[in-house]
Amino acid sequence: MKRRSWMERQGWIGMTFILPNMIGILLFFVIPAIYSFVLMFTNYQFSNPNWQFTGLDNLKQLFHDDNFYASIKYTMIFLISVPVSMVLAFIVALFLNRSVYLKGLIRGMFFLPYISSGVAVAFVWMLLFQPSQGPINEMLRWIGIASPPGWFADTDTAMYAIDIVQIWLMLGYNMIIYLAALQEISTEQLEAARIDGASTFKITWKIVWPLVSPTTFLLMITGLIMTMKSFSIIQAITAGGPSGSTTVLSLFVYKTAFGYYEMGYASAISWFLFAVILVITVIQWVGQKRWVHY
Amino acid sequence: MNEKAGNMKVKLPVTIIMFVLGLFMIVPFLWMVSTSFQTPTEVFKNWLPSSLNWSNHIRVWTGSYDFVPYYLNSLKISIIGTVGAVFLSALAAYGFSRTSFKGRDGLFVVYLSMMMIPPQVLFVPKFIMFNWVGIYNTHWALILPAMFSIFGVFMLRQFFMSIPKEITESAFLDGAGHYKIFFRLVLPLAKPAIATFAILDFSWQWNDYENALVFLQSPKLYTIPLGLQNFILENNVDYNGMMAASSAAIIPMIIIFFVGQKYIIQGISSSAVKG
C-alpha cells in the first residue's frame, strides 16, 4: 500500500515521462489511424482536390474487385511459409539443442538471413532463381530436369518462389525462439521417459512437442501477422508481377495508394487487412487459454 | 568414459549434418560475395572467381551510383532514429512501470491496440499529412516516426518491472525524485535491455525499405535499400555490379550481428518466450 502511495504522490511527474512519447504516438499512430478510417468512406485521390464522402462505395467496390480476391489468394500462398518455416525451425532447434560442437557458429549461420533481411538479399535470390542461367536451375538441369520452373518469371510459380525466400528468412528467427523454449524443458522428465523405454521419436512427439505448444502457438500467430504486413521482399523482387501474380494484400494496398493514387480505396483495403489481423489477435486471446497445454 | 565416447558418436555426426545445413543457409551470401569479384563473362558459370576482381566494388562506390551518400543518409536516419527511440521509449517505460496517475492503464491499452494497426493503414494518411507539413521527401519523414517505438516501450517496460520495487522505493525515501531515480538508478540497471533494443531498432531502420519507398523521392536523399533498388533497376544486366552493391548493403549488418549477437539473440528469445 505504501508502495503505491509514493508513486501516486508524484503522479503528475509520472505523466511528464510519458508525455513526449505520447505526443509522437498521437501524431504518427492515433491521428493517422483515425484519418485513414475517415478516408475509407471517401473517393479521395491525391491528385484530385475535389473529393466527397461516398459512404460504403469503397467497400462495395472492394467486394466486387477481382484483384482483391486474387490478392487474398496470393496472401494465402504467402502464409504457407509460416508453418513450413516453423516445422523446419523446430527440427533444427531439436538438433542444436542436443549437444553439438560449434553451437554458436551453427546457430549464427541459420540466423544470418533474418538479420540481413531486406532488399539486398532479395536481389541475390533474384539472380539465384534466374530461369535461363541462374545457379538453381543450372543445378536442376544438371540432375536431369530438362525444363526447370521459371520461378519469379512464371505466374504459376512466382508466389511459391517468394515462399522459399520467406521460409529461408524466417527459419533462424523461429529457431532461436524454439531453442529458448527447449532449454526450459527439464531434463528429468525426458530422462524418466527414456528409462521407461520410450524411443527418441516418441519422446519428441509425445512430450517435447506438447511442452513447446505455447511457443508454437505464439510463433504461428506472430508469424501470420508479420507475414500479412510485410511486402518489402516481394516489392524488391517482383514488384507484384509477373502480371500481378505476387500482389499480396499488403502490396495491393501500396500499389493502389502510390501506384494509382486511389487513396480512399487504398484505405478501405488497408482496413480489411486490419480486420484480418484483429481476428487473428482475438483467436490468440481465446486460444491461449483453450488449446495450449502447459 | 564409455558415456563420453558414446556422446561423441552422436555429437560429431550431428555437428557435421547441422554444419552442412548451415552452409546451405549461407550459400546465397557466399554466392553474392563470389559473384561480386567476378568478371561479366564468369557470372553463372563459375562458383569461384578466377581472380579477385575489385572493379565491381570500385564502380559501385565511385561510379555514377555513389554509395557513399546512401550510406551517410542511412547512418544519419538510423542513428538519430535509434537514439530518439531508445530515450523516449525508456522514459515512457519508466512512466508506465514506476509512476502512477489517473488514466495510466487506459493509456497503456491504447498503446497496445496501436500495435495491431498494420503500417499499410498509416501510409496514406502519413503521406498526406507529411505533404501538408512539408516534411514529405525529407529525412524527417523517416526519422520523426522512427523515434516513437511502441515495441520499445513494451520491451523496456517489461524489463523495468523486473527491477525490484524496493530498490527504487528506498531511493525515493532517501529523497531522490523520479528523474534522479530514472537517470541514476534505472537506466544503468537496464543497460543490457537498452543495448538489445538499440541493436534491434537500428537494424530495422537500416533495413527499412517500405517507409523510404513511400516518403522519399529525390535520389540524393535515398537510403541504402532505395539506392540499391535504383542501381538494380537501371543496371539489370550488370550482375556483378548488382552483387557488389548488395554486398555493400549487407556487410554492415553482418558486422553488427557478430558484434551484438549475444544481445540480439537474448532480446529475441526473451521477448517472445515471455510473450
Side-chain angles (χ1 to χ4, degrees), chain B residues 59-86:
Chain B
R59 190 151 38 92
V60 164
W61 284 95
T62 60
S64 56
Y65 288 88
D66 199 341
F67 264 60
V68 176
Y70 301 153
Y71 254 79
L72 295 179
N73 289 340
S74 275
L75 272 178
K76 174 183 155 196
I77 292 169
S78 312
I79 289 175
I80 304 179
T82 304
V83 170
V86 167

Side-chain angles (χ1 to χ4, degrees), chain A residues 16 21 99 101 168 218 229, chain B residues 8 11 25 111 120 179:
Chain A
T16 65
N21 196 288
S99 36
Y101 300 106
W168 174 80
L218 183 92
K229 290 199 270 192
Chain B
M8 227 185 96
K11 223 173 151 180
M25 289 293 283
Y111 270 66
Q120 283 76 19
Y179 279 93

Side-chain angles (χ1 to χ4, degrees), chain B residues 253-274:
Chain B
M253 282 323 297
I254 294 182
I255 294 170
I256 289 174
F257 171 64
F258 279 110
V259 174
Q261 192 182 11
K262 192 183 103 195
Y263 289 116
I264 294 174
I265 285 174
Q266 253 173 20
I268 284 179
S269 41
S270 73
S271 67
V273 169
K274 283 175 196 146

Side-chain angles (χ1 to χ4, degrees), chain B residues 237-252:
Chain B
V237 281
D238 177 8
Y239 296 133
N240 310 99
M242 276 169 82
M243 290 303 101
S246 296
S247 311
I250 291 180
I251 282 160

Side-chain angles (χ1 to χ4, degrees), chain A residues 241-262:
Chain A
S243 25
S245 63
T246 53
T247 306
V248 294
L249 208 50
S250 56
L251 191 56
F252 186 40
V253 178
Y254 171 76
K255 280 177 140 184
T256 309
F258 301 103
Y260 306 109
Y261 289 98
E262 296 270 6

Side-chain angles (χ1 to χ4, degrees), chain A residues 38-55:
Chain A
V38 175
L39 280 175
M40 169 163 59
F41 303 104
T42 70
N43 61 357
Y44 188 91
Q45 289 172 305
F46 188 67
S47 49
N48 183 1
N50 301 316
W51 60 271
Q52 55 214 1
F53 281 100
T54 51

Side-chain angles (χ1 to χ4, degrees), chain A residues 163-199:
Chain A
D163 271 333
I164 293 175
V165 180
Q166 185 74 5
I167 291 166
W168 174 80
L169 271 177
M170 293 308 298
L171 185 63
Y173 175 83
N174 292 333
M175 174 204 72
I176 292 287
I177 289 169
Y178 267 130
L179 264 179
L182 288 175
Q183 267 149 23
E184 309 229 319
I185 296 177
S186 78
T187 43
E188 286 155 35
Q189 209 175 346
L190 303 183
E191 279 309 311
R194 189 155 295 137
I195 289 162
D196 288 348
S199 65

